[in-house]
Amino acid sequence: MRTRPLKVALLGCGVVGSEVARIMTTHADDLAARIGAPVELAGVAVRRPSKVREGIDPSLITTDATALVKRGDIDVVIEVIGGIEPARTLITTAFEHGASVVSANKALLAEDGATLYAAAEEHGKDLYFEAAVAGAIPLIRPLRESLAGDKVNRVLGIVNGTTNFILDKMDSSGAGYSEALDEATALGYAEADPTADVEGFDAAAKAAILAGIAFHTRVRLDDVYREGLTEVTAADIASAKRMGCTVKLLAICERAADGQSVTARVHPAMIPLSHPLASVREAYNAVFVEADAAGQLMFYGPGAGGAPTASAVLGDLVAVCRNKLAEATGPGESAYTQLPVSPMGDVVTRYHISLDVADKPGVLAQVATVFAEHGVSIDTVRQQGKDGEASLVVVTHRAPDAALSGTVEALRKLDTVRGVASIMRVEGE
């Protein structure tokens, strides 16, 4: 074993960063044995140096992150500060000064991963980011390495624990969205400002990363269609139950049937109770990967939190340090296919549409005619009426999203349609 330690700089010491530092200290001997050399925490960049950080030598604390990554004796930089800047500049500066990088920054990787990949390749360094997508769940490395010889066709999963907790509570207790969100906040699953989670931004960033790796093409955050769950109601959950389904916020990345394009999207969807994703409860994550040779693979576990995320970071640290000792680098960007990302209008799926209509003869015929005129085939219809008003629930066969949008626009113009109560896609069949 090499006796000279590999030096590590830690950018950020919040929930995840403090766990990384703790594990590096308490598991130091095991990490050294696995790597083949000791690892030493050489500096920790923070915004508030006065805060007490148990187990961390105060002499390692600095507010000058730029100076830390420029030191030249740093072998690996761990970035867990998040956001676009200064993280992007710090990471590229680290590469320029001889360090490899382990990051958990999903937003930056989804927004400008190409810049990071290019900088890593230019300087012959590693960029690892297992913790950016699904916490402790091994997902990035299987896609980049284990399935490198296979053709991945679809990635479907629950990649945000906060939204899964909310939807699970709405399903199990009958609570509305606001009540379920309040419970998630009280338990620490939701941030004080939950926008990134409940509006789907967090899941969309992860979808962009997964699609890029799975399909060997560049997919940015702007390429991902996104809907949050704030419009999901208790009535939607009840409708799903009547269909033998539950509602989940899904990230779906697909290769087109002809192989000439890909899609990436995040939105609530009804999935059958028989589907394995339907049983994913509370704040857990689960991802299905479908490949030509491997078939269906499912990855399941805690997708967030300090310790699970730190576990993924430390796994990357071990891999990067091993590469450093071997004077090698791991996989970089693979974007050779350069496939276009199709718009949401081209996506073909099933739909569950709830309409408020007048309770009188001929309404169903009018509605069915509109669907037919737009090329959307109806699978089932359920109608209930009372005192001149009625609800009409239509479940379609698979159809392009653009056709469905045209259908809904035309339905709104019917005098007998009082309103479109909800529209939800049906997946997992």
Side-chain angles (χ1 to χ4, degrees):
M1 178 186 292
R2 191 178 95 163
T3 57
R4 184 169 64 83
L6 294 164
K7 294 190 176 182
V8 178
L10 179 60
L11 308 183
C13 198
V15 173
V16 176
S18 59
E19 276 296 306
V20 169
R22 182 189 67 79
I23 295 172
M24 285 185 64
T25 300
T26 57
H27 295 181
D29 291 342
D30 286 338
L31 290 173
R34 295 165 191 169
I35 292 168
V39 287
E40 173 188 312
L41 190 59
V44 181
V46 300
R47 286 184 298 177
R48 296 185 292 276
S50 59
K51 181 179 177 180
V52 176
R53 293 172 173 86
E54 187 177 349
I56 298 178
D57 184 347
S59 68
L60 298 179
I61 301 296
T62 179
T63 57
D64 194 342
T66 301
L68 179 58
V69 300
K70 284 184 173 181
R71 272 178 40 173
D73 64 333
I74 299 297
D75 295 291
V76 183
V77 170
I78 297 175
E79 182 271 313
V80 288
I81 56 177
I84 307 302
E85 288 292 355
R88 175 169 47 199
T89 299
L90 290 170
I91 289 173
T92 55
T93 301
F95 290 139
E96 292 167 4
H97 287 79
S100 289
V101 173
V102 173
S103 176
N105 196 330
K106 55 186 171 287
L108 176 55
L109 287 158
E111 178 69 29
D112 197 16
T115 294
L116 305 187
Y117 279 124
E121 182 178 3
E122 178 185 355
H123 298 285
K125 302 302 173 186
D126 274 326
L127 173 64
Y128 275 55
F129 47 89
E130 185 67 65
V133 172
I137 304 172
L139 185 57
I140 299 300
R141 192 171 289 116
L143 284 173
R144 293 175 91 182
E145 300 177 28
S146 303
L147 295 174
D150 207 341
K151 180 183 177 183
V152 176
N153 296 309
R154 194 174 195 228
V155 179
L156 166 73
I158 298 164
V159 295
N160 183 276
T162 300
T163 52
N164 198 59
F165 180 89
I166 291 171
L167 290 171
D168 182 45
K169 290 303 174 185
M170 291 176 70
D171 181 84
S172 62
S173 69
Y177 165 75
S178 296
E179 293 83 1
L181 174 60
D182 288 344
E183 184 174 354
T185 303
L187 292 172
Y189 291 126
E191 302 287 345
D193 179 2
T195 302
D197 293 323
V198 300
E199 294 293 354
F201 290 102
D202 175 86
K206 295 169 181 176
I209 295 169
L210 291 173
I213 296 171
F215 307 134
H216 304 280
T217 198
R218 286 181 178 171
V219 179
R220 299 178 69 251
L221 181 59
D222 290 345
D223 296 321
V224 181
Y225 174 83
R226 175 192 55 79
E227 288 180 23
L229 55 72
T230 55
E231 301 301 318
V232 176
T233 66
D236 293 326
I237 303 294
S239 291
K241 284 186 175 182
R242 283 192 290 269
M243 289 178 57
C245 294
T246 189
V247 177
K248 297 292 185 182
L249 186 76
L250 298 179
I252 305 171
C253 311
E254 294 178 304
R255 189 190 300 269
D258 62 6
Q260 299 304 303
S261 64
V262 300
T263 59
R265 51 195 166 105
V266 168
H267 54 71
M270 295 180 179
I271 58 173
L273 294 176
S274 58
H275 195 284
L277 288 179
S279 62
V280 178
R281 307 298 300 273
E282 300 205 335
Y284 277 76
N285 286 187
V287 177
F288 259 86
V289 176
E290 299 176 9
D292 273 0
Q296 289 189 335
L297 307 173
M298 182 173 175
F299 301 84
Y300 171 84
T309 306
S311 172
V313 169
L314 267 295
D316 279 351
L317 176 64
V318 169
V320 169
C321 286
R322 286 172 174 170
N323 290 344
K324 182 83 173 181
L325 293 179
E327 297 182 350
T329 55
E333 182 181 31
S334 177
Y336 70 91
T337 62
Q338 299 182 355
L339 296 173
V341 182
S342 296
M344 186 62 188
D346 292 346
V347 171
V348 176
T349 190
R350 298 180 67 204
Y351 299 87
H352 175 281
I353 305 166
S354 179
L355 304 171
D356 295 326
V357 299
D359 186 16
K360 62 182 184 180
V363 173
L364 180 56
Q366 286 185 323
V367 169
T369 298
V370 170
F371 276 89
E373 289 174 346
H374 289 81
V376 180
S377 176
I378 293 176
D379 182 15
T380 63
V381 178
R382 185 178 72 253
Q383 184 173 6
Q384 291 180 322
K386 184 178 180 181
D387 298 331
E389 298 295 328
S391 64
L392 190 66
V393 177
V394 178
V395 179
T396 74
H397 289 291
R398 290 171 61 82
D401 190 85
L404 189 281
S405 296
T407 302
V408 171
E409 184 177 350
L411 288 171
R412 294 184 193 277
K413 295 177 181 179
L414 293 178
D415 291 340
T416 52
V417 174
R418 309 294 191 225
V420 179
S422 71
I423 305 172
M424 191 169 295
R425 294 166 184 86
V426 182
E427 298 285 348
E429 296 182 315

